Amino acid sequence: MCTLIALHRVAGASGTLVAANRDEFYARPTRPPEQLAPRVVAGVDVSQGGTWLGVHASGLFVGLTNQRSFGGRDPSKQTRGAVVTDALAAGGLDASLQVVAGLDAREYNGFNLLLGDGDRLFVAYARPEQREVELHPLAPGVHVLGNDRLQSPDFPKAARIAADAEQHVATHASMLLRDQVEPLRTLLASHTQPELTTLHVPAGSVFTAELVQALEATCIHTPHYGTVSATLLAVSPTGVSEYWYADGPPCRTAFRPVPLSALLLP
């Protein structure tokens, strides 16, 4: 499970800023962003392969969140991280959209994607109950993709983060990403949780109400699972201008710039 925040052409600015938390089991190993293929840079899921978020030198970015399933995941399905690497390897947004549209969603556990190039932004929904992947263009603005559809009433966390992101835009939208790193880190580091009585957990769920409450924080901490890293991106149709990575939860880990000049060489 992850959270993807896209500030897409907000307040008259060009390009898209992405702020993201990766939430995962602590025992699942990952590596910081590296060159995965020519002109592709992304973090690495060591155990399953693929990635959760990355960029192509063209300015394309692709990020993934798992669709929350109260019944757990099916381990026989293909790894979702490979969808991101395949979409990035396509090299541009139109080709990436073709890759996603050609998937058979029944081969995967449910997932959601944000993909864009600073000029255009799309969301994709894949569910194992149907073959087709839904693709929808998004207007300029603030978009928060959690572990459900955009603006899902069953995922209040996203609405709360969106409100925080709107406040961030009002103050910082005209700044370069490097000047927004610390306030974005504060946004991603929030531990705010809803009251336990406001949460709905389906009968027979493998999730307890207390676990669902913990998962509603932007920066998650539980004994075995939580926020393990965070990423900041600035992309446009001319390329990737900034890439920052925190190799740990943003509440206690500083962002460091990723050396794009070396990693994005052909």
Side-chain angles (χ1 to χ4, degrees), residues 1-4 19-23 188-189 218-220 227 229-231 250:
M1 296 182 181
C2 300
T3 298
L4 292 167
N21 276 352
R22 172 168 168 78
D23 308 322
L188 293 173
T218 310
C219 188
I220 298 169
T227 301
S229 66
T231 302

Side-chain angles (χ1 to χ4, degrees), residues 60 87 90-101 115 117 120 122 135:
L60 170 70
L93 181 56
D94 288 329
S96 183
L97 291 170
Q98 290 180 5
V99 169
V100 174
L115 58 167
D117 62 1
R120 294 176 293 158
F122 285 80
L135 276 165

